[in-house]
Amino acid sequence: QTIPPPTSTPTLIPAESSRIAYDGIDGEVCIMAPDGSAQQCFATAGISDSRFNNRNITWSPKGTHIAYLNGFNLMVTDLASGTSQLLYQDQSNDNSESGRITSGPVWNPDGTKVAIIIGQDVYVFSINLEKYYRMETDAWGNVSAYDPAANLGWSPDGHNLLYLRGGSDYTELEGLAASSSRSDNASRLLLPGVINYAISADRTQLVYHLVSGGIMIADANCLNENPIMPLLQKPFTAENAESAEF
């Protein structure tokens, strides 16, 4: 089926849940309705590499932008204007992970920032200001031993970036940690022994899986500014559970 080119003023389908984003051809990123209608593709010629697929396509919270990886480059497309930005270009050499995006992108709650992991460091990119900064994560550890898709997240208030932190030994996992996106950029270990976590779509509940076994649910507000370990935890009944996801 031939995909039509984008119009000069794209008409957006209002509800995010009624649109699907996917990898097009020649480096394009596309959206459509679930029934295959209202297809629109956004050209990224000159800033993306057509040799690579677009992957990890992620909607912004309000459904106005799409962030994705073109190869190992970070791209963002504004669906209203149809324009795309290259926010980060792959700096790696050969098969080295140094300078290469290994996880992300993940939007913050208000859709103004995206977080990615470059090598084993966490970076936050501001969409409107076109600038980025490295987050302080203390001891990071070997992220490749764990599911990269579950490594990054944001607290409900958007002030803390969440990730799984390693110990002094790269084979050791300390647990769920948070770094402040504010000036102090402080790093805190929130929950030791967490090997996977997820936050509900309405950002009210946190579910996490412990290395000792079992899945726990807590109020996600415990992840907000100056977070403390959750005091109210209730086990989620699931025998032989191996992952946590909403």
Side-chain angles (χ1 to χ4, degrees), residues 60-134:
S60 66
K62 296 180 180 179
T64 58
H65 293 72
I66 296 174
Y68 51 97
L69 301 184
N70 172 254
F72 294 98
N73 303 321
L74 175 61
M75 308 282 295
V76 171
T77 295
D78 182 335
L79 300 181
S81 66
T83 58
S84 299
Q85 294 176 270
L86 174 63
L87 292 186
Y88 178 81
Q89 188 167 17
D90 183 22
Q91 304 294 319
S92 63
N93 296 316
D94 300 324
N95 294 323
S96 171
E97 285 191 354
S98 177
R100 172 166 290 179
I101 298 175
T102 56
S103 183
V106 178
W107 289 94
N108 73 332
D110 67 6
T112 60
K113 300 174 182 177
V114 292
I116 59 174
I117 296 176
I118 301 176
Q120 291 185 346
D121 295 316
V122 179
Y123 288 81
V124 174
F125 288 74
S126 178
I127 303 303
N128 298 329
L129 300 180
E130 297 185 19
K131 66 178 183 179
Y132 67 96
Y133 54 91
R134 178 181 176 274

Side-chain angles (χ1 to χ4, degrees), residues 2-171:
T2 302
I3 299 174
T7 61
S8 57
T9 55
T11 301
L12 301 184
I13 304 170
E16 178 183 343
S17 61
S18 65
R19 294 179 292 176
I20 298 171
Y22 62 97
D23 179 33
I25 58 175
D26 297 327
E28 295 177 331
V29 64
C30 306
I31 61 174
M32 67 177 179
D35 63 2
S37 64
Q39 295 174 341
Q40 291 179 307
C41 291
F42 304 91
T44 57
I47 58 174
S48 68
D49 192 330
S50 60
R51 297 175 301 170
F52 299 109
N53 292 331
N54 296 317
R55 56 192 179 88
N56 294 18
I57 301 174
T58 308
W59 288 94
S60 66
K62 296 180 180 179
T64 58
H65 293 72
I66 296 174
Y68 51 97
L69 301 184
N70 172 254
F72 294 98
N73 303 321
L74 175 61
M75 308 282 295
V76 171
T77 295
D78 182 335
L79 300 181
S81 66
T83 58
S84 299
Q85 294 176 270
L86 174 63
L87 292 186
Y88 178 81
Q89 188 167 17
D90 183 22
Q91 304 294 319
S92 63
N93 296 316
D94 300 324
N95 294 323
S96 171
E97 285 191 354
S98 177
R100 172 166 290 179
I101 298 175
T102 56
S103 183
V106 178
W107 289 94
N108 73 332
D110 67 6
T112 60
K113 300 174 182 177
V114 292
I116 59 174
I117 296 176
I118 301 176
Q120 291 185 346
D121 295 316
V122 179
Y123 288 81
V124 174
F125 288 74
S126 178
I127 303 303
N128 298 329
L129 300 180
E130 297 185 19
K131 66 178 183 179
Y132 67 96
Y133 54 91
R134 178 181 176 274
M135 297 288 288
E136 177 59 49
T137 56
D138 198 4
W140 175 244
N142 185 5
V143 298
S144 63
Y146 307 99
D147 181 9
N151 279 342
L152 289 178
W154 289 89
S155 60
D157 63 6
H159 294 158
N160 292 300
L161 185 64
L162 312 172
Y163 51 91
L164 300 179
R165 191 171 81 180
S168 56
D169 182 342
Y170 282 172
T171 62

Side-chain angles (χ1 to χ4, degrees), residues 61 106-110 153-160 162 198-206 218-224 246:
V106 178
W107 289 94
N108 73 332
D110 67 6
W154 289 89
S155 60
D157 63 6
H159 294 158
N160 292 300
L162 312 172
I199 299 174
S200 62
D202 62 4
R203 312 194 70 81
T204 62
Q205 298 290 308
L206 165 71
D219 186 340
N221 287 321
C222 67
L223 302 171
N224 287 336
F246 274 106

Side-chain angles (χ1 to χ4, degrees), residues 182-200:
R182 298 198 170 188
S183 57
D184 63 344
N185 207 12
S187 174
R188 304 175 181 89
L189 179 65
L190 302 182
L191 285 167
V194 173
I195 59 176
N196 197 358
Y197 74 96
I199 299 174
S200 62

